[in-house]
Amino acid sequence: MKRVMIFILICTTLLIAGCSSQTDSQEKGTWDRLNVEQMNEELKTGEAVIVDLREPELYTKSHIPGSINIPFTEFQDRYQELSPDQRIIFVCHNGPMGEASSQLLVEKGYQHVANLVGGMADWKGLVDKTNP
């Protein structure tokens, strides 16, 4: 629990310091920030891994079809489940957990990272309400 709190504190500090960027994710230390329309375009390609960072209870109630659930509180220990060669897009409640997770991945050398700005609160696309 202490490690999770430290991780959240560090991530919050990074967000407050303005470490997020709207530049291309190919530049080290940055990631893409997607709006709903851009997210829908990404979904059409079928190439991105969508990572829902919300708690399992919220994920099972409603999530973007095809997304996987890695809760934010577990992400620091589980990020290696994701391939650095794949496009990874984060979704959370309303965006900040996705930005913190994006920053962590780019610091670990991942280059194809994005976050859905506004998270599920702004999502207007399809949702899956069935348990995975």
Side-chain angles (χ1 to χ4, degrees):
M1 181 68 174
K2 184 177 181 181
R3 207 165 85 184
V4 170
M5 294 304 293
I6 291 170
F7 177 68
I8 291 171
L9 179 62
I10 290 169
C11 293
T12 303
T13 302
L14 289 172
L15 289 173
I16 291 170
C19 289
S20 64
S21 174
Q22 294 185 22
T23 61
D24 183 55
S25 65
Q26 296 302 315
E27 182 181 323
K28 184 164 174 45
T30 64
W31 62 89
D32 295 325
R33 299 179 78 207
L34 305 177
N35 61 34
V36 172
E37 292 78 23
Q38 293 167 318
M39 179 69 160
N40 275 313
E41 290 301 313
E42 292 268 0
L43 290 173
K44 288 178 187 176
T45 70
E47 296 176 9
V49 175
I50 312 301
V51 179
D52 192 317
L53 296 163
R54 297 174 302 147
E55 296 81 11
E57 312 79 61
L58 293 174
Y59 176 79
T60 57
K61 287 181 182 178
S62 176
H63 55 272
I64 296 173
S67 64
I68 62 171
N69 184 225
I70 302 178
F72 181 71
T73 56
E74 299 173 17
F75 188 73
Q76 186 174 17
D77 295 327
R78 295 182 56 192
Y79 77 89
Q80 293 174 323
E81 295 174 21
L82 304 170
S83 170
D85 300 323
Q86 289 185 295
R87 173 69 157 167
I88 299 166
I89 303 173
F90 291 107
V91 177
C92 63
H93 299 284
N94 54 19
M97 291 186 301
E99 292 206 5
S101 299
S102 295
Q103 182 65 32
L104 174 70
L105 283 193
V106 297
E107 288 173 1
K108 300 293 184 183
Y110 289 67
Q111 296 182 354
H112 311 287
V113 181
N115 179 49
L116 175 62
V117 175
M120 290 301 285
D122 286 353
W123 180 244
K124 295 172 182 49
L126 294 174
V127 292
D128 186 346
K129 294 183 179 188
T130 61
N131 291 330

